Amino acid sequence: MSVIKQIMWDEWRYWQRTRLAITVIITGVVLIVASVIVNAIGIQHAKHEREHLQHAAESRFAEQPDRHPHRMVHYGHYVFRTPSPLSIIEPGVDSFTGTSIFLEGHRQNTAMFADQRQSSGLTRFSSLAPSFLVQVLAPLFIVLVGYASITREKEAGTLNIMMTQGVSKRHVLTGKLFALLGAGLLLLLPMILASLWASFRGESSLVTGSYIVGYLLYILVWSGVVLGVSALSHKSSASFAGLIGLWVVLCILVPRIGSSTAAALEPSPGKLEADFAVLEELRKLGDGHNASDPAFEQLKSNLLAQYGVETVEELPINFRGTVAQYSEKKLTDVLNDFAEIRMQEELSQAQIARHFGWLSPAVAIRSFSMIVAGTSLETHHRFLREAETLRFEFVQSLNKVHQDKLDYQVDMNRSKSAETSKAARVDASNWSVLSSFSFVPEAGGVRLVQGGTYGVQLLFWFGVVVLFLNLAMRRMSE
Amino acid sequence: MREEMVVASSLSVTFEQHKVLDGVSFKVGEGEVFALLGGNGAGKSTALKSFLGTVTPSGGSASVMGLSVASQIDVIRQKVAYLPESVMLYGHLTGVENIEYFLSLAGITSAKDKIESALKRVALQQDAWYRSLSNYSKGMRQKTAIALALLREAPVLFLDEPTSGLDPSAIDEFNQLITTLASEGSTIFMVSHDVYGACQIAHRIGLLDKGKIVGMFEREGDNPIDTEAVHASFSKRNG
């Protein structure tokens, strides 16, 4: 053990005295620390702002004066997605998908205010997330620090001298691996501290623990890859070229190929095309604002029969409110069907892209990171579904108020004069039908189960690297 | 009879169907300086590496201090010292730090004054002891490596072209040091193409050509080996 420790410490001493490696490590750490701080401040600010806006939107809705209930259906309401604690490290799809939705009757609006949509080209660099830095740049830093770990000893002839001191290849590789892991851990340290902080801010300890273990595995995999290639190479230049090539393939090309393959295998229609398809279906349902629309004849007949009356005027309920409820239900079913199809398409694409985690550890850690942090596509879909549930509930509650608390005749005469319009209002206390909205990602255990496959991908890469290091040890020339 | 410290028995090494060593046999006794001479490609370094376990023989056997290289190389490596042709050690460390580090790898903790006295013994100038090795000449690096071997109290030293690239005064110093070590009981196995230098210090010289021992020369009494005879034989085979 002490031999391994000696080799590890000497590697650090070499990095420190040659300055290049230590400069690379310090640069990486500073970059990640800065990114963690900037993101943490940004996310905390966004969290408070969205919580405040959510509260303000709910108060504004509740404070509306007496009105016709259907005006409130169109007055609408906003819901905001508060970021998960771990999004200070992993913003995931949040910065692309939008954080707020305007809810109103008869429509399912898309989420708005995505950071990436609002930023111009250059300012996007300011949003370098810690997760991106660790997933993509940390391996590059490890390559820069460790590509010559073994080749340097071969070129200088010191590997032979080490061997003749009774040091085995296993000792050399293990000592160098620990040194490289130490450098990787330094790069990871800001993220580990941020994860602990997320735990302190309410994230489950099991989640943050697993999250840290996932990234440790990732750093271990890259340290092993770098060391193995260095052990198998005869010259530092060959090791460097090989590792840079591997980094480009594993961190840049495979993730891109994964996304392109997913889009090719699971093509989804454009937004315009999808909107036209929805409109075509909705047209068949009739206009819920018009109680005389032939589409509601059956509803009318059924109601008249149910109450044993001849005309809608004789009904004990406001037929317009009933039509609005009926129409909203039918319309929501159609919208939900389309929304589910779209979400399934997006999810299928994401899952195809995630399968590329078997080909690249960078894809594996990205999938694991987003899912466990609660910033994945699944979490965004959960937000859309919860927002839609709220929309449907408050719209239907208002439609019920319309049906039960507003007289049909008064309603029909609402446009005749200022007085009739005023009479066709309901009391503002009815606006309390709106439930408060607070979005939280799935429970930690659920996220860990969802991310399990990608944790297995990381373990697979760990296994591959162990085998690779064994091979490198056997074939390592002196 | 002196104890046999380095033994090659019908040692053969084949690289890609080319026989680099072809049934080489010799024995080196305790306190003996044995030099294996030969031209480029004669198989000298391969023979040396066979004793360090860095090449695998295709036939025959090699042993050091009675231990088989094939099965006990880890034990052998703990007992011998090796000086490569180009002693590099670590440029980022001082001479003393290099020795400390390699001793620690061998599981030896040595006090600074012991290291300093070893450096004094190999005549490395004092102002260089705590200077970065990147500023050392080849001779200075070699002295540092020999100091390391002394501190390891290695009974067998393997030297690969030890005088190549050294200036004449450094060669003299080196020869003196090797002679002293041998007289103290160290066994020295060196490979070289420096006929004159080998004749000065070796007790025996084996002449290697195309992987075979083609001549063996032995010192008579205290007189150095006849340089002319070795040179004539060497030149005959190497043009």
Side-chain angles (χ1 to χ4, degrees), chain A residues 2-3 6-7 10 13-14 17-18 152-153 155-158 160-167 176 478, chain B residues 52 54 74 77-78 80 82 84 86-90 92-94 97 101-106 148 152:
Chain A
S2 76
V3 171
Q6 285 294 336
I7 293 171
D10 181 66
R13 186 164 54 176
Y14 172 78
R17 292 195 183 173
T18 51
R152 190 180 72 238
E153 306 276 4
E155 286 167 338
T158 43
N160 261 331
I161 299 179
M162 287 171 98
M163 297 292 167
T164 51
Q165 309 306 309
V167 175
K176 301 268 184 185
E478 294 162 26
Chain B
L52 298 172
T54 53
D74 290 343
R77 283 175 170 172
Q78 283 165 11
V80 304
Y82 163 62
S86 180
V87 179
M88 295 299 288
L89 301 178
Y90 289 114
H92 66 285
L93 303 181
T94 66
E97 283 175 336
Y101 175 61
F102 283 110
L103 284 178
S104 72
L105 292 185
L148 171 64
R152 283 195 53 205

Side-chain angles (χ1 to χ4, degrees), chain B residues 107-163:
Chain B
I108 300 167
T109 316
S110 201
K112 276 238 163 57
D113 55 345
K114 228 177 149 187
I115 295 173
E116 288 175 356
S117 76
L119 288 171
K120 203 180 230 173
R121 198 173 154 208
V122 297
L124 181 71
Q125 60 257 42
Q126 200 165 343
D127 63 345
W129 294 356
Y130 291 95
R131 272 203 339 245
S132 161
L133 209 90
S134 55
N135 300 318
Y136 279 25
S137 66
K138 188 188 170 188
M140 290 162 77
R141 288 201 303 270
Q142 201 167 47
K143 285 175 181 174
T144 311
I146 294 172
L148 171 64
L150 290 178
L151 286 160
R152 283 195 53 205
E153 295 171 356
V156 183
L157 266 73
F158 288 97
L159 315 176
D160 189 359
E161 303 283 4
T163 53

Side-chain angles (χ1 to χ4, degrees), chain B residues 10-237:
Chain B
S10 306
L11 189 64
S12 297
V13 175
T14 305
F15 288 144
E16 292 169 358
Q17 295 178 335
H18 171 65
K19 267 202 165 169
V20 183
L21 281 184
D22 189 1
V24 170
S25 297
F26 57 81
K27 291 172 182 169
V28 184
E30 189 180 9
E32 185 181 5
V33 179
F34 180 83
L36 204 53
L37 290 188
N40 291 334
K44 308 183 299 286
S45 293
T46 306
L48 187 144
K49 285 176 183 170
S50 301
F51 293 104
L52 298 172
T54 53
V55 295
T56 310
S58 52
S61 66
S63 68
V64 179
M65 300 168 71
L67 302 165
S68 161
V69 174
S71 57
Q72 291 168 290
I73 186 63
D74 290 343
V75 185
I76 292 172
R77 283 175 170 172
Q78 283 165 11
K79 293 177 185 287
V80 304
Y82 163 62
L83 265 73
E85 179 181 357
S86 180
V87 179
M88 295 299 288
L89 301 178
Y90 289 114
H92 66 285
L93 303 181
T94 66
V96 171
E97 283 175 336
N98 263 292
I99 292 174
E100 275 179 333
Y101 175 61
F102 283 110
L103 284 178
S104 72
L105 292 185
I108 300 167
T109 316
S110 201
K112 276 238 163 57
D113 55 345
K114 228 177 149 187
I115 295 173
E116 288 175 356
S117 76
L119 288 171
K120 203 180 230 173
R121 198 173 154 208
V122 297
L124 181 71
Q125 60 257 42
Q126 200 165 343
D127 63 345
W129 294 356
Y130 291 95
R131 272 203 339 245
S132 161
L133 209 90
S134 55
N135 300 318
Y136 279 25
S137 66
K138 188 188 170 188
M140 290 162 77
R141 288 201 303 270
Q142 201 167 47
K143 285 175 181 174
T144 311
I146 294 172
L148 171 64
L150 290 178
L151 286 160
R152 283 195 53 205
E153 295 171 356
V156 183
L157 266 73
F158 288 97
L159 315 176
D160 189 359
E161 303 283 4
T163 53
S164 96
L166 293 187
D167 61 50
S169 68
I171 291 175
D172 281 346
E173 279 182 38
F174 173 79
N175 287 346
Q176 222 161 16
L177 188 61
I178 293 300
T179 307
T180 311
L181 289 176
S183 68
E184 289 169 358
S186 296
T187 304
I188 317 286
F189 177 93
M190 58 188 274
V191 299
S192 177
H193 57 253
D194 173 15
V195 177
Y196 178 77
C199 289
Q200 294 302 304
I201 57 171
H203 296 104
R204 278 192 305 142
I205 289 176
L207 197 58
L208 199 63
D209 184 46
K210 291 176 187 157
K212 289 183 174 174
I213 297 274
V214 292
M216 193 66 84
F217 302 87
E218 196 164 352
R219 182 182 281 199
E220 288 170 11
D222 287 339
N223 298 325
I225 294 171
D226 181 6
T227 312
E228 291 299 321
V230 178
H231 201 268
S233 185
F234 187 83
S235 300
K236 197 171 120 192
R237 295 175 192 281

